[in-house]
Amino acid sequence: MTASLVKIGLSAATTAFALSLFAILAAALAARGSRPAFLVGARNALIVNFALVTLAAFTVMWSFVVTDFSVLYVAENANSRLPLLYRLTALWGAHEGSLLLWLWYLCLFSAIAVAIHWRSHPLSMPWIIATLAAVQAGFIGFIVFLSSPFREIFPAPPDGRDLNPLLQDPGLAFHPPLLYMGYVAFSVPFAFAIAALIRGHAGAEWVRAVRRWTLFAWAALTSGIMLGGYWAYYELGWGGYWAWDPVENASFLPWLTGTAFLHSIMAQDRRNMFHTWNVFLIVTTFALSLLGTFLVRSGVLTSVHSFAVDPGRGTYMLAFLAVVMVAGYGLVIWRAERLTAATQLESAWSREAMLLVNNLFLLAAAAVVLLGTLYPLIVEAVSGDRVTVGAPYFNKVAIPMLVAVVFLMGIGPVVPWRSIKARRLRDLLRWPALAALVALAVALLAGVREVIGIAAIGAVAFTLSATLLDFRRSVAAHRAVARGGWLSSTWRVMRNARQRYGGMIVHLGILVIAFGMLASGLFQQTVIVSLKPGESIALGPYHVTFRGVESVDGPNYRARAGRFDVSRAGVPVMEMRPEKRSYQERQMVTTEAAIASSLMGDLYLVLGDEAAHGAATVRGYWNPLILWLWVGWLVVLVGAAVAGSARLSAARTPAAAAVAQEQPA
Amino acid sequence: MTTLAQSQAPKLRPWKLVLGGFVVAMLAVLAWGLTRDPSYIPSQLVGRSVPAFALPELNGKGTVAADELRGTPLVINFWASWCVSCRAEHGLLTGFGREVATRDDVRIVGINYRDAPAAAARFQDELGTFSYRSGQDPSGRTGIDFGVYGLPETFFIDRDGIVMARHVGPLTETALKHNLSLIGVTR
């Protein structure tokens, strides 16, 4: 009975494949001969595709719910003892299902995009639909022909292989969906850019249309990356959150270029500049999103993940990436002259110049991260040696550029469009510069000796004070006119310029994250010791006493749990129990760190190997202020929501534009 | 009008060459990356002596030990009934096992990794019985000595007891032939 369910899923996906090909053709014909009926057909095909792919994804998900092991993908990624939550999230636990999720998002966003922009962008619509349909066709074809989650096995095995234990964690269960949401949402701005390129239309309409899509994609990608870091920190048990591993870098690359794009489209909106640059950035961001999926899922770099890789899959993905890159960059190269900006830079001290410098730093950071990620491949191609590029390279080359970006975050928003007088700029930045100097002195006194750490502390202090001062100036200016109280004035200022102040709140969130990173990176304490029961260690403000190890059983694992009594200034405060779990079905051992979090810092304990007489190796960390990373993330999300709630079209009406003129945004 | 048309005609500019070159180079590196054999994972064991083991046989009647297998090129295959990828190489292995039974210049043994004998027997009933012996490694201790990462894995050992190759993932005809040649066996 249920075995036939995935057959329905496969038929739905196959139909969707045919419809996406139809949509490409119909949309292209509609663009050539302006035949509205064809365009309506193409649009409806995209909307039907969403329903079909939802059905297809549902059949696989339901097979997980009822643990139907006659479905190969279920047998490989679930087990009768796996809890329901993880049976649901197992849908994206491996290759085939992850791509199905990717496709589902793509169909969802395509349907939404054509529905809401149908009336406002009639001339670009054929090419937007054709681009989205082409990306859909690429993914559905892959899923139907090469990487089918609908495959069945006969006879069905009595039980499944279980989900990878590392993925049996709430943090990772929701990390891929968020990350993919970000990756895929960039496909809509990409489609708008392709349409603008094909039409050779230089205007700012497409940029305004994609602003919210870009913000949404950026916020989702940021959340995916932060959640991934959170998962690495809580589940992997090495005391850190970011390892510059190829898979992490693959998600960081589109974030860097997407951040650049998010900023530079403002210049096209406000000053009618950077046309070619913007289409280049979004093509790059989307290509890097695909590359991220490709690297993680093809086994090119992470050879340990490549069990079921068949060479056909890798070839297909590469061919798909090649089509996107050649078509996208080819159009940029071919159409560049038609997009030439109407306006030129007037001054090196202007918002647009600052945005350009910010973009160059972000792009340079992306370039060095990309180089470091692919370097092992290049070296092996040239000399045959196997090398790995580790954290020291990335810390040395990428971090300084990111520190520069943080510094620019302090200058850019206070500099107006067009130009500013040098004297006025000096006045604006006097206090932030002083704050930076004070922070530098404090850092030196606190014993920080790393140049880049000191520079980062200075940059954070500079930008934090510049951002807060900017808030203060705007509120004071509003009060001078409207005579409200501080609170009500702040509220009005924020509400009237949501795009600007949403952005400033995002900046504050990024600063909070940077603050947490700096504190936990520069002042982390680490101990690795062998302890006998009764012995203790000092970590941060705590005193940790080892009591012994005992056995604990979970639903699908067995564990050894260490018991630790923790006291602070002689007063017992809690007991901590780090575990070492062994999952029976997958035969994998995972460490479950015990973590006591507070805004001051995290006490982080990991149980290592056991020795004779009840002794055990213990790794302990004191990570000061690391919780601020996740606090900053929430601030970023609030800011993105505020910025996204601003209506750009309203600001273009004459009355609103007159008001907007007074705001420097 | 003419100036407008001229300004809109595509021109060859340095940045276009750089961008085009970047696209080509990027795709070339990735294409090359695909040609590598993803099943090749560097192993600490390659070039060293095969770890000692003495395991009870799966049928419960004797032992499979490293010492008694010295002197002839040897193939060791780690498998389990719960391993889905093992099904893919099963036909190749049973066929190769029958061939080995008729020659005396190569031997093969299996190691049933972290499995229950009853489940292993059902697996062979369903897919075909191995014509060679398998040792039981229920705790995975021997697997740790070999550095087994995930099933199936196959090790190729020459006549002096030195591990010459490790294959991760289902064996294929070509991979088997290539790895056998490393231990001086032609097929």
Side-chain angles (χ1 to χ4, degrees):
Chain A
M1 178 59 208
T2 41
S4 56
L5 196 61
V6 284
K7 288 201 179 75
I8 295 174
L10 181 61
S11 332
T14 315
T15 316
F17 181 63
L19 279 178
S20 61
L21 293 181
F22 161 77
I24 303 172
L25 196 68
L29 285 175
R32 286 245 156 259
S34 23
R35 310 261 292 267
F38 281 7
L39 193 59
V40 170
R43 176 194 66 176
N44 293 349
L46 287 196
I47 289 167
V48 172
N49 264 6
F50 170 59
L52 287 171
V53 170
T54 304
L55 174 67
F58 172 77
T59 62
V60 178
M61 201 168 234
W62 188 253
S63 303
F64 271 109
V65 170
V66 299
T67 53
D68 179 358
F69 296 123
S70 70
V71 179
L72 180 63
Y73 188 67
V74 176
E76 283 180 339
N77 294 291
N79 180 278
S80 48
R81 287 184 298 266
L82 190 67
L84 179 65
L85 171 71
Y86 296 128
R87 291 214 301 278
L88 289 171
T89 61
L91 176 65
W92 50 84
H95 181 92
E96 292 85 351
S98 311
L99 289 171
L100 186 59
L101 178 70
W102 218 104
L103 173 67
W104 182 78
Y105 275 135
L106 181 62
C107 293
L108 172 70
F109 295 149
S110 303
I112 295 176
V114 295
I116 62 180
H117 300 295
W118 176 253
R119 277 171 201 287
S120 50
H121 292 78
L123 292 176
S124 294
M125 196 42 71
W127 297 117
I128 293 169
I129 291 181
T131 308
L132 289 171
V135 179
Q136 281 190 9
F139 267 88
I140 310 177
F142 189 55
I143 285 169
V144 169
F145 300 117
L146 283 169
S147 146
S148 169
F150 311 108
R151 209 173 294 160
E152 296 167 60
I153 37 169
F154 182 82
D159 207 342
R161 187 172 166 230
D162 207 357
L163 179 66
N164 186 338
L166 289 177
L167 306 185
Q168 296 184 30
D169 177 272
L172 204 66
F174 298 104
H175 161 65
L178 274 171
L179 200 61
Y180 283 12
M181 196 191 278
Y183 280 172
V184 184
F186 279 120
S187 62
V188 176
F190 172 74
F192 272 85
I194 293 293
L197 281 169
I198 292 178
R199 291 179 58 213
H201 191 73
E205 290 83 3
W206 78 271
V207 164
R208 285 177 199 140
V210 303
R211 192 184 68 98
R212 278 185 180 161
W213 284 102
T214 309
L215 254 177
F216 172 76
W218 184 87
L221 192 56
T222 307
S223 302
I225 293 173
M226 291 300 291
L227 201 59
Y230 183 86
W231 166 76
Y233 180 67
Y234 285 88
E235 178 82 354
L236 292 186
W238 55 282
Y241 48 84
W242 187 262
W244 296 106
D245 158 279
V247 177
E248 293 172 339
N249 293 346
S251 62
F252 192 43
L253 287 168
W255 187 88
L256 288 169
T257 57
T259 308
F261 178 70
L262 189 60
H263 288 88
S264 74
I265 54 176
M266 287 193 293
Q268 186 163 350
D269 176 27
R270 288 303 177 122
R271 297 274 296 125
N272 211 14
M273 303 173 83
F274 300 171
H275 299 149
T276 316
W277 182 246
N278 282 331
V279 287
F280 163 76
L281 279 180
I282 190 61
V283 169
T284 305
T285 304
F286 186 63
L288 286 173
S289 296
L290 286 181
L291 182 73
T293 316
F294 175 68
L295 286 183
V296 175
R297 292 289 160 200
S298 72
V300 167
L301 283 178
T302 47
S303 56
V304 288
H305 292 127
S306 59
F307 277 34
V309 167
D310 93 58
R313 288 183 181 181
T315 314
Y316 185 101
M317 282 180 155
L318 182 63
F320 185 53
L321 183 68
V323 169
V324 169
M325 284 177 73
V326 169
Y329 290 124
L331 276 169
V332 172
I333 289 172
W334 183 36
R335 293 294 200 184
E337 277 69 26
R338 290 226 200 163
L339 301 183
T340 310
T343 356
Q344 300 289 319
L345 273 184
E346 287 175 23
S347 156
W349 294 103
S350 62
R351 178 77 57 78
E352 46 271 45
M354 289 296 143
L355 287 173
L356 190 61
V357 180
N358 139 307
N359 269 224
L360 291 177
F361 273 111
L362 285 169
L363 210 64
V368 297
V369 173
L370 181 68
L371 182 68
T373 310
L374 295 182
Y375 185 71
L377 266 183
I378 301 169
V379 168
E380 205 191 329
V382 175
S383 69
D385 294 334
R386 289 198 166 224
V387 297
T388 49
V389 178
Y393 162 80
F394 293 104
N395 286 337
K396 204 163 258 163
V397 299
I399 301 282
M401 298 191 194
L402 297 176
V403 170
V405 170
V406 168
F407 184 68
L408 280 171
M409 259 166 63
I411 307 177
V414 304
V415 176
W417 297 100
R418 289 173 181 273
S419 70
I420 185 174
K421 290 226 168 62
R423 223 168 107 201
R424 170 87 182 122
L425 187 66
R426 264 207 305 279
D427 287 348
L428 284 173
L429 297 180
R430 188 186 300 138
W431 291 109
L434 194 66
L437 285 176
V438 171
L440 288 182
V442 172
L444 282 170
L445 286 177
V448 182
R449 290 292 175 270
E450 287 164 76
V451 175
I452 194 65
I454 297 173
I457 289 172
V460 168
F462 175 83
T463 301
L464 184 66
S465 48
T467 309
L468 293 176
L469 274 177
D470 184 74
F471 268 109
R472 190 177 162 275
R473 262 197 309 274
S474 305
V475 174
H478 185 270
R479 284 191 71 210
V481 182
R483 308 203 172 169
W486 277 103
L487 267 179
S488 69
S489 294
T490 310
W491 172 251
R492 287 218 183 86
V493 166
M494 303 256 300
R495 205 184 48 189
N496 291 341
R498 274 177 285 183
Q499 190 191 4
R500 174 174 175 82
Y501 289 101
M504 296 297 265
I505 293 172
V506 172
H507 283 185
L508 284 178
I510 298 284
L511 290 172
V512 172
I513 293 173
F515 182 63
M517 284 178 172
L518 277 171
S520 62
L522 292 172
F523 299 103
Q524 185 186 50
Q525 290 178 22
T526 315
V527 244
I528 303 176
V529 282
S530 178
L531 290 179
K532 293 196 191 82
E535 289 184 331
S536 57
I537 45 172
L539 259 181
Y542 295 107
H543 202 74
V544 181
T545 310
F546 180 53
R547 291 296 174 206
V549 183
E550 60 198 30
S551 290
V552 188
D553 282 356
N556 53 352
Y557 62 85
R558 294 193 168 160
R560 296 285 286 163
R563 277 202 305 129
F564 294 85
D565 287 337
V566 181
S567 62
R568 181 173 189 157
V571 185
V573 282
M574 61 192 152
E575 187 190 69
M576 290 175 70
R577 305 172 68 100
E579 290 180 5
K580 235 183 146 84
R581 289 184 185 168
S582 116
Y583 285 80
Q584 289 138 30
E585 212 55 54
R586 282 260 180 169
Q587 305 301 342
M588 262 177 87
V589 176
T590 66
T591 54
E592 296 291 317
I595 304 166
S597 280
S598 74
L599 286 176
M600 284 306 295
D602 284 15
L603 181 61
Y604 190 112
L605 295 179
V606 182
L607 185 66
D609 292 331
E610 291 177 57
H613 310 299
T617 312
V618 176
R619 274 184 300 136
Y621 303 88
W622 166 247
N623 295 322
L625 306 181
I626 200 164
L627 201 62
W628 290 85
L629 257 74
W630 328 120
V631 173
W633 169 28
L634 295 180
V635 177
V636 165
L637 286 185
V638 169
V642 170
S645 72
R647 297 179 70 96
L648 262 197
S649 49
R652 299 281 159 256
T653 61
V659 175
Q661 280 298 307
E662 291 165 19
Q663 300 293 342
Chain B
M1 273 319 281
T2 44
T3 50
L4 187 66
Q6 270 166 5
S7 79
Q8 290 194 350
K11 281 192 204 112
L12 202 60
R13 292 166 195 271
W15 68 262
K16 294 185 174 179
L17 289 176
V18 172
L19 182 57
F22 165 78
V23 171
V24 172
M26 178 94 193
L27 292 171
V29 166
L30 290 173
W32 182 84
L34 273 180
T35 63
R36 296 182 316 159
D37 180 4
S39 334
Y40 166 73
I41 296 180
S43 168
Q44 295 293 325
L45 211 56
V46 170
R48 299 195 188 176
S49 294
V50 59
F53 61 88
L55 300 169
E57 231 181 277
L58 196 55
N59 60 17
K61 288 190 186 125
T63 51
V64 180
D67 295 346
E68 46 151 320
L69 296 164
R70 281 274 160 82
T72 323
L74 173 67
V75 178
I76 300 179
N77 171 253
F78 282 81
W79 64 282
S81 64
W82 47 262
C83 153
V84 178
S85 306
C86 295
R87 293 163 180 262
E89 61 170 13
H90 196 82
L92 180 66
L93 279 176
T94 47
F96 179 61
R98 280 194 297 276
E99 184 191 323
V100 166
T102 65
R103 13 193 321 183
D104 52 8
D105 62 336
V106 60
R107 280 194 277 187
I108 176 168
V109 292
I111 293 182
N112 183 235
Y113 179 73
R114 298 202 178 202
D115 206 357
R122 270 203 308 277
F123 179 80
Q124 293 194 59
D125 287 347
E126 183 193 317
L127 293 170
T129 313
F130 289 121
S131 52
Y132 50 85
R133 298 177 300 154
S134 280
Q136 296 179 37
D137 181 22
S139 66
R141 185 73 196 82
T142 307
I144 291 173
D145 289 340
F146 276 81
V148 167
Y149 175 86
L151 293 205
E153 287 197 18
T154 311
F155 293 83
F156 295 83
I157 296 130
D158 72 2
R159 68 182 73 250
D160 302 322
I162 307 294
V163 178
M164 299 306 286
R166 169 196 191 190
H167 182 87
V168 178
L171 271 176
T172 58
E173 195 70 53
T174 14
L176 181 63
K177 199 168 180 171
H178 171 72
N179 286 316
L180 281 174
S181 72
L182 295 177
I183 56 172
V185 178
T186 46
R187 182 161 190 245

